[in-house]
Structure formats: C-alpha cells, structure tokens
Amino acid sequence: QVQLQESGPGVVKPSQTLSLTCSVSGDSISSGGDYWSWIRQHPGKGLEWIGNIFYTWNTYYNPSLRSRMTMSVDTSKNQFSLRLTSVTAADTAVYYCARKRSGWPVFDSWGQGTLVTVSS
Amino acid sequence: EIVLTQSPGTLSLSPGERAALSCRVSQSVSSTYLAWYQQNPGQAPRLLIYDASSRAIGVPDRFSGSRSGTDFTLTISRLEPEDFAVYYCQQYSDSPPQFTFGAGTKVDIK
C-alpha cells in the first residue's frame, strides 16, 4: 500500500521560497504508472490543484501558479518536491502530496498534509 | 475554465437518512472524468467515486454516484456516523491539462 509523507518548514517569510518534499513508500516513483501531485487547501477552504510531475520530469502546472513554481523528482530517494517562489500570506495553506495513476484523472492516495504559514 | 458548483453548502441530516449532494459543471464535457472525495476534520481527502459512478476500493456500497448531463450527484443511501464530513467533487479537463475542485458540501448532524 502506497504511503506519502510531506516534509518541509512550517513557516516561510514573505517574498521567500517555499520548499516541500514528498517521500513515497510502497510504490516506485519511476515505475511509470503514476503521476505525482501537489494540492493545497487554504485554511477553512476548498482544495486547489498545484501540479503533477512524471518521473521523466514531464510536468503539468496550475496556470495560476506556473510562473512561481517548480516541481522535481529524485528517483534515487523516491521523492518529489515543490518550490514556490515569492510567497505571500495567500500561500498559507495545508499542502498535500498525492498520487495520480496514469490514465486515471483522480488522486487515489494522499499524504497527511503539512501546514505552511507565510509570516514574518 | 471549468467551474464546479456544489450544492447545498451545508446539509443537516440525521443518521440513517439519505443524502444527495450536487455538483454542476459549468460546461458540457464529453467525458465522465468526475470524482468525489470525502474529507474528515484534520484528515486528507479520501477518494470515494471516480468516473462519475464507480466506487473506489473499500468504499461502502451506500455511496453511489450518478450523472445527468452536466449535473453530477453523490448519494449516501443511509448516513452512518462516520459519513458526517465534507465532500468535494473534482473534474479533469485536458485542454489545457487541469484539475478543478468544487467548493465542497458539508454534511453535518441535525
């Protein structure tokens, strides 16, 4: 059974860069059957898709965040990551990593989520 | 851009009652790429329904999904205590590739 675990700082200063990593166990990132995703949830609000990445570094980004974000994979560590630059208070959210099966446009497994607060 | 409108915002029901949650898609879509998720407080969302009407592994059969044109419905036939949660619908569009969630419907205890 696949398990995903987010890690990263809980507080980021405004204008700085948010960096998160998702560690995957129970599935290989490079197996070729899955895309790896980031989704966030602002406090008390709904869900916002951030982006997907394949192990070949093929990516799909939310157009509203594309100019500030980069996703990457590290197959040797079975991890994938998110960088979001020039953060503001509007980026305060719980960030989830998730798995999307190739050819199946749903998120079938999720990490527990990590709260990132943008504050000076 | 596809917009998903979920209604009602909150549904107050008693255990054992039937719940019907609506998700309206803003434009006609040829696919049934619509999914439903359940989220309990402090937890990650859990996939319930995919392709509009297929239950994910381990989901009880009291959960069902249906579609009529651009209107999608999640039905819970008899509410159990663990079903009181927030439910989100999610759509996929491929031009450009993008995933969109609805704002959610909270099912709470009456």
Side-chain angles (χ1 to χ4, degrees), chain A residues 39 41 45-49 52 60-64 66 96 100 103-108 110-113, chain B residues 33-35 37 39 42-47 49-51 56 88 90 92 96-103:
Chain A
I39 296 157
Q41 185 169 34
K45 302 295 184 183
L47 300 161
E48 179 183 28
W49 170 71
N52 295 348
Y60 298 101
Y61 292 163
N62 187 322
S64 69
R66 179 178 293 129
Y96 295 99
K100 188 200 84 64
W104 198 38
V106 298
F107 305 99
D108 71 328
W110 297 63
Q112 65 185 24
Chain B
Y33 284 159
L34 189 114
Y37 299 82
Q39 187 177 33
Q43 297 185 18
R46 167 199 178 196
L47 177 66
I49 300 287
Y50 62 94
D51 284 352
Y88 295 96
Q90 173 245 312
Y92 168 74
Q98 187 161 241
F99 298 80
T100 305
F101 292 90

Side-chain angles (χ1 to χ4, degrees), chain B residues 8-108:
Chain B
T10 302
L11 195 53
S12 296
L13 295 168
S14 300
E17 289 194 295
R18 179 178 179 272
L21 288 64
S22 172
C23 177
R24 176 166 291 177
V25 182
S26 62
Q27 57 187 264
S28 177
V29 291
S30 59
S31 74
T32 56
Y33 284 159
L34 189 114
W36 290 93
Y37 299 82
Q38 176 192 63
Q39 187 177 33
N40 285 296
Q43 297 185 18
R46 167 199 178 196
L47 177 66
L48 292 178
I49 300 287
Y50 62 94
D51 284 352
S53 60
S54 298
R55 275 188 298 276
I57 294 172
V59 175
D61 60 7
R62 64 181 180 272
F63 291 92
S64 63
S66 62
R67 174 188 184 181
S68 176
T70 58
D71 291 333
F72 294 80
T73 301
L74 173 69
T75 301
I76 311 170
S77 58
R78 288 179 56 85
L79 284 162
E80 297 287 341
E82 61 268 27
D83 300 338
F84 292 92
V86 180
Y87 294 84
Y88 295 96
C89 56
Q90 173 245 312
Q91 174 69 268
Y92 168 74
S93 59
D94 53 15
S95 284
Q98 187 161 241
F99 298 80
T100 305
F101 292 90
T105 290
K106 183 179 182 180
V107 179
D108 66 13

Side-chain angles (χ1 to χ4, degrees), chain A residues 44-115:
Chain A
K45 302 295 184 183
L47 300 161
E48 179 183 28
W49 170 71
I50 298 172
N52 295 348
I53 188 166
F54 199 59
Y55 79 100
T56 56
W57 288 63
N58 187 29
T59 54
Y60 298 101
Y61 292 163
N62 187 322
S64 69
L65 296 168
R66 179 178 293 129
S67 64
R68 296 194 292 126
M69 64 176 288
T70 305
M71 292 179 66
S72 59
V73 295
D74 186 336
T75 55
S76 67
K77 295 181 179 179
N78 218 37
Q79 296 175 336
F80 63 104
S81 298
L82 169 70
R83 291 182 77 250
L84 187 65
T85 63
S86 304
V87 297
T88 69
D91 296 307
T92 293
V94 174
Y95 286 76
Y96 295 99
C97 58
R99 182 180 72 174
K100 188 200 84 64
R101 309 311 301 269
S102 182
W104 198 38
V106 298
F107 305 99
D108 71 328
S109 297
W110 297 63
Q112 65 185 24
T114 187
L115 174 62

